Amino acid sequence: MESERVQKFEEYCRQHPQLRNVDPVQNQRQVMNRSVINDLLLKIESQLPKEMQFRMPRHTLFSEEKPVYDTSSFNFPVICKTTVACGSGESHMMGIVFEEKGLHSFQVPFIAQEFYNHNSTIYKVFTIGDYVKIVKRPSLPNMPPSHHETVFFDSQKPFAPQMQALKSPTEKSDEEMVNEAPLPPMETIKAISNAIRTTLGLNIFGFDVITQLETGNHAAVDINYFPSFGGVENFWSILGEFLLSQASKE
């Protein structure tokens, strides 16, 4: 249930229409549901030029428990997540599933999304109006084709030893992979950012991008409202300038 503070804030905004509400709460709500986020990103994929290589992993929303889940719409492995994107500890509990029986470890409703090998590198993209910044961070290792047991993890904590154990002895370290990973084309990243801004009506947000190892395709796998902006130098100055520009609009 939504907090009383949020409800009071919305009521205050309604009572004071002269205030400039940069990112209305009703727009922020859209990024609280992963199913809504995935549908939005699929829509953006259809809008962007194919040469930008933006391809979303296939996914399925499982809303009812079944003896056997239909997995015909995607390929294993998949990453399973709750539909709730934030606001609880459960929203950060995830798992990499390699076969149908592993799906039964998750409570409905949940989302199963194809896992892209991406060389342990995720690109955190931060948007403040027209400002866009890409920051590289360590991510999940590539999944070996011989593995079959579900691997559970908390996305807000360092990866468990069993996750690191999946790495091949011949692979480079996560740090080396992240350092060597090239940034995605800024043209593509800005196109995704602008599409999210336009579709959601938001100005201050972040989204996560990975690059599929086998194809070089880029995919956005999450959207967050007002993230930490870690790695963005002069964040408060950039935010302040943006808010002042919004306040000065007629």
Side-chain angles (χ1 to χ4, degrees), residues 50-57 114-119 210-219:
K50 292 187 181 300
E51 57 267 25
M52 287 189 172
Q53 291 187 272
F54 182 66
R55 305 285 187 275
M56 286 301 298
E114 287 182 337
F115 179 85
Y116 280 0
N117 283 332
H118 51 283
N119 270 355
I210 58 175
T211 299
Q212 188 178 23
L213 174 63
E214 295 83 358
T215 65
N217 290 334
H218 310 293

Side-chain angles (χ1 to χ4, degrees), residues 178-204:
V178 172
N179 289 338
E180 295 176 7
L183 293 176
M186 183 56 79
E187 179 186 13
T188 299
I189 296 301
K190 285 190 173 182
I192 300 169
S193 177
N194 289 336
I196 293 173
R197 285 181 68 191
T198 301
T199 305
L200 293 182
L202 295 175
N203 291 282
I204 306 171

